[in-house]
Amino acid sequence: MTEQTLFIVKPDAVARKLVGQIISRFESKGFKILKLKMFTFTKAQAEEFYSVHNTKPFFGELVSFIASGPVVAAVIEGNNAVATTRLLVGATKSFEAAPGSIRGDFGLGISDNIIHASDSKESFEKEARVVFQ
Ligand code: CMP
């Protein structure tokens, strides 16, 4: 079923000049890019984006990291987009992510885990609203 989802290339990956390689993986897989935007989160925007985690002990670290430098956000469309994108992205802890996944191939961190992807249709709708208005 054709769906849309959102991913964000995080500040660590932008700083390491991985934007092109990461976007290329989604294009190669067959997804269509509908929206693409480079920007830097304000603290308030980051708190809203990650509000589902606001009771977690790592919330402060999460917000400060995502707002620490420019990110690249994309809305993409294709078959089974939400779940398939999560497979391409890999496990949250990059050091545990399977080789072949984006986190598995490019990272070792947890806050600095290269890329964020919406985990459901509802998260996509909320996150796309926060990022693209
Ligand atoms: P992301 O996919 O952006 O969604 C929530 C983020 O919280 C996750 O990637 C990690 O970057 C971060 N996160 C999850 N667990 C921890 C943790 N234990 N410590 C710090 N950050 C975490």
Side-chain angles (χ1 to χ4, degrees):
M1 187 185 62
T2 299
E3 290 178 340
Q4 294 180 9
T5 194
L6 171 143
F7 69 80
I8 293 190
V9 183
K10 293 191 179 186
D12 53 329
V14 174
R16 289 174 52 203
K17 302 185 170 67
L18 296 173
V19 173
Q21 288 187 69
I22 291 171
I23 290 174
S24 181
R25 289 193 179 208
F26 291 94
E27 291 192 312
S28 300
K29 184 69 178 167
F31 288 113
K32 180 177 174 186
I33 296 172
L34 299 183
K35 296 182 182 176
L36 194 60
K37 175 181 176 182
M38 184 175 227
F39 71 104
T40 302
F41 275 94
T42 64
K43 186 162 179 285
Q45 193 180 16
E47 286 171 349
E48 172 63 8
F49 184 84
Y50 277 132
S51 61
V52 68
H53 296 298
N54 66 12
T55 58
K56 309 260 173 71
F58 55 82
F59 183 64
E61 182 184 328
L62 182 58
V63 165
S64 75
F65 181 71
I66 200 72
S68 66
V71 299
V72 173
V75 172
I76 60 172
E77 183 176 83
N79 194 26
N80 201 47
V82 173
T84 299
T85 291
R86 302 276 292 179
L87 278 178
L88 292 179
V89 163
T92 300
K93 297 175 180 174
S94 301
F95 54 86
E96 292 179 351
S101 68
I102 293 168
R103 288 172 176 155
D105 287 352
F106 295 128
L108 285 171
I110 301 180
S111 284
D112 52 340
N113 63 352
I114 307 287
I115 183 168
H116 166 87
S118 306
D119 65 3
S120 65
K121 181 173 185 287
E122 294 69 33
S123 297
F124 159 67
E125 285 165 0
K126 179 262 180 79
E127 292 171 3
R129 181 173 46 75
V130 173
V131 170
F132 289 98
Q133 263 75 6

